[in-house]
Each structure stands twice: as C-alpha cells, then as structure tokens.
Amino acid sequence: MSFTSDKVTEYISSHYRPLDDDLGAFREYNEENNVPLILRETESFLSLLLEMTKPRRVLEIGTAYGYSALFFARKLPDARITTIDRNEHMIPVAEENFASRPEGSRIDFRTGDADKVLDRMIEEQKSGSAEPFDFVFIDAGKSHYREFFDRAEQLTRPGSIIVCDNILMHGWTVDRSYEGARRHRTNVKYMRMFIDYINEREDLTVSLLSSGDGLAVIRLND
C-alpha cells in the first residue's frame, strides 16, 4: 500500500532529470536491481537544497552502491564527501564505482559500523586533524537515527543542515495498519521517538516533508 497517490508519484517522476547521462544510467541500474538509493523526487529536492546552501564538506551515513555520494560530488564540484557503510556485499561495489569515476578522488569512503566510525571521526575533529561538516545526509538503519544524529551534531558547526531520509517508512510511521508495518514495529517505534525528539528541541529548526518516503530537514541554529 502506498500513502501517496501513484498518479501523483508518476507525475512528479515524469519531470525528473538526472544530473548527467552517467548518473541516469547508474540510477536505472540500481532501480532495476532493487538496490537502495534516494528516490527521484528526493534527489530533486536535495539538488535544490544543495544549490542554495553550497556545502563544502558533506557527510553521508549509508552508502549502498555509492549513487548518492557520487550525486553529491558532482553537484558540488568543490566539496569533499565522506560516506559510511558496513554492508560487506555493497562495499566492494561502491569502491569500484568510486574508483571508476573522477569524482571518486573527492570521496572518503569509510567502512564499518557507523557509530564506531563516527566516534573515531569525532576524535579526529577534537585533535584538530579534521574540519567540521556543514551538510549531513542520514539514510541508514532506521532504528538508529537518534544515535546517528547525536554524533553528526558533534561533527558539524552551527548553521549546518542535517537531512534524514525515509522518516515515513512507507507510511508505517504514520499508520501501523499499512502492510508490513508489524514486521518493522521496532523501527517504527524508534523513528517516532526520534521525530518527537528533534521537534521538541528549541535549538533546532525542523521541517518534516512528505517528499519521497519522508524527509526531516534540520538546521542547527546558532
């Protein structure tokens, strides 16, 4: 069951344009092989947001085959991208995709459990060997968004943007009667807790969007 009209989704998708032919073909490959990647309307929104904010250092939690990291790198030719993943089956594919494209030289691919990798990155910043990020994209284990956010917040500066993808989880976050919701009730529980948490904080500006599978756009206020 979809919580958005198929006609609406089809109409919006019909106006999607990839950044270039290579990314367009890469997207089609991922879609045909059911590889997780950002939805088309999510990419369109991120493209506009990145155009307005022009971040120089981007952190992504959740790499998959590397599509979104390459999208960030091509959209932001002066930025450096750090992306994290632990899936042993996806890591070699992502590494190959980065190595085969010139933008890959600006992508720092870190592998392993995200919490541990982020903790090491926090220590790097404390030691002065790394600069803070000004844009973070979270698209990994849905029950861990709070932990990812808390660590990402330590890696950014005031005014930075953190975007969390898939917060609606096919509608399960809103209505547990949707098909498949019972199998993911733990993820649903923690996602609801995370959404309540960020909305209760007065030092954050939060916008929840129904675009794609739901987005939380969060600004760390000065």
Side-chain angles (χ1 to χ4, degrees):
M1 181 185 296
S2 173
F3 62 93
T4 302
S5 166
D6 289 339
K7 289 185 177 180
V8 171
T9 301
E10 290 172 6
Y11 178 76
I12 293 174
S13 294
S14 70
H15 289 81
Y16 165 81
R17 296 292 181 272
L19 281 182
D20 53 47
D21 292 341
D22 177 55
L23 279 181
F26 190 16
R27 167 172 284 282
E28 290 182 4
Y29 174 84
N30 281 270
E31 291 174 342
E32 290 171 359
N33 290 276
N34 297 314
V35 178
L37 81 164
I38 53 175
L39 297 176
R40 296 183 177 207
E41 57 189 287
T42 300
E43 179 182 327
S44 297
F45 171 78
L46 290 174
S47 182
L48 176 61
L49 183 61
L50 295 171
E51 186 73 27
M52 294 189 296
T53 57
K54 299 188 185 314
R56 299 297 297 269
R57 282 178 53 80
V58 176
L59 170 63
E60 175 187 52
I61 305 172
T63 309
Y65 278 5
Y67 177 87
S68 49
L70 287 167
F71 163 76
F72 291 136
R74 289 194 182 172
K75 183 67 182 180
L76 303 165
D78 296 322
R80 295 198 64 83
I81 318 299
T82 298
T83 185
I84 304 170
D85 208 294
R86 69 174 185 178
N87 189 306
E88 61 183 12
H89 301 294
M90 293 188 174
I91 287 171
V93 181
E95 289 177 332
E96 181 178 348
N97 285 324
F98 297 151
S100 64
R101 293 169 169 86
E103 296 80 13
S105 63
R106 290 186 288 112
I107 297 175
D108 177 13
F109 186 24
R110 304 203 181 192
T111 61
D113 183 81
D115 285 344
K116 295 179 180 178
V117 174
L118 292 168
D119 285 340
R120 289 195 295 270
M121 292 171 64
I122 291 170
E123 291 303 314
E124 290 174 9
Q125 281 200 14
K126 288 180 178 179
S127 70
S129 62
E131 297 180 10
F133 295 92
D134 40 21
F135 189 92
V136 180
F137 184 62
I138 300 176
D139 186 15
K142 308 312 171 193
S143 63
H144 299 284
Y145 270 29
R146 170 66 187 274
E147 296 99 299
F148 297 154
F149 179 84
D150 288 346
R151 287 168 170 82
E153 192 174 11
Q154 297 179 63
L155 290 165
T156 51
R157 54 169 61 92
S160 298
I161 301 293
I162 299 178
V163 178
C164 303
D165 199 9
N166 305 122
I167 64 165
L168 295 181
M169 299 174 60
H170 305 288
W172 303 331
T173 307
V174 179
D175 187 348
R176 295 180 184 180
S177 68
Y178 277 68
E179 183 179 353
R182 292 191 61 176
R183 295 196 307 273
H184 299 275
R185 57 183 177 270
T186 299
N187 286 341
V188 171
K189 171 187 173 183
Y190 282 103
M191 182 61 75
R192 286 185 167 186
M193 291 171 62
F194 170 68
I195 293 172
D196 289 343
Y197 166 72
I198 57 175
N199 276 280
E200 289 169 357
R201 284 189 45 180
E202 296 183 359
D203 60 333
L204 304 176
T205 299
V206 180
S207 180
L208 304 181
L209 307 176
S210 60
S211 177
D213 192 26
L215 294 169
V217 183
I218 306 155
R219 182 182 186 274
L220 308 181
N221 297 331
D222 295 341

